[in-house]
Amino acid sequence: IKGMYTLEVNNGGTVVKEKQLGSWKSEDMKRYQKDYESKIAPLLKGKKWAKCCDLRDYKMSAIVEDMANHVKWATEAGLASGAIIISTIIVKMQMKRGDAGLTSPESFATEKEALDYLSKQGFKF
């Protein structure tokens, strides 16, 4: 959406795979949240689910409060596990600050590692 992110849900509605790009502003995060609420949540249908976030092309952004609000919403909507794919420690630190203390996503260097981790927890993409 506007070249900032892609969202994909597996057929079972238990894993959301996303890729985030560039530097985000609060309005980007609000659009992302709206897409989650209107397009992704109906596919999850009240199940426990996991996220696999590819952040290798994401740039540090001033959206920690917006991220915390999204994580709070997501956990209330059944988010049970997460894996992030990162290439810099700075992005990892921002994700840790933005998790609102509700989740502790594991970090990986590749998508395969991240999806394998989620698969071992019962979330297959």
Side-chain angles (χ1 to χ4, degrees):
I1 304 298
K2 292 196 175 192
M4 303 297 290
Y5 58 90
T6 59
L7 301 170
E8 185 179 358
V9 179
N10 70 338
N11 286 335
T14 58
V15 178
V16 178
K17 189 165 71 168
E18 57 185 58
K19 182 172 178 84
Q20 299 172 359
L21 306 143
S23 181
W24 287 37
K25 296 180 180 166
S26 185
E27 63 257 19
D28 300 314
M29 196 66 202
K30 285 177 175 56
R31 188 172 54 254
Y32 167 86
Q33 177 63 33
K34 187 174 181 179
D35 280 344
Y36 253 91
E37 291 173 9
S38 66
K39 297 173 183 173
I40 303 300
L43 300 173
L44 304 173
K45 298 178 182 138
K47 299 174 189 163
K48 292 290 180 193
W49 56 283
K51 267 192 186 211
C52 179
C53 306
D54 185 342
L55 301 169
R56 290 174 287 189
D57 294 320
Y58 169 81
K59 306 292 182 225
M60 178 94 164
S61 304
I63 57 168
V64 172
E65 185 176 327
D66 293 312
M67 286 172 47
N69 289 335
H70 171 71
V71 171
K72 183 177 186 299
W73 173 88
T75 55
E76 290 170 357
L79 178 63
S81 185
I84 57 175
I85 307 160
I86 58 167
S87 57
T88 69
I89 192 70
I90 292 171
V91 170
K92 181 179 181 178
M93 289 182 338
Q94 182 180 22
M95 294 303 119
K96 189 68 179 160
R97 284 195 325 267
D99 77 359
L102 298 170
T103 62
S104 295
E106 292 293 324
S107 302
F108 301 93
T110 69
E111 183 177 297
K112 181 182 182 332
E113 291 171 331
L115 291 175
D116 285 349
Y117 166 77
L118 293 176
S119 181
K120 288 176 185 169
Q121 294 185 33
F123 299 104
K124 297 183 193 292
F125 191 80

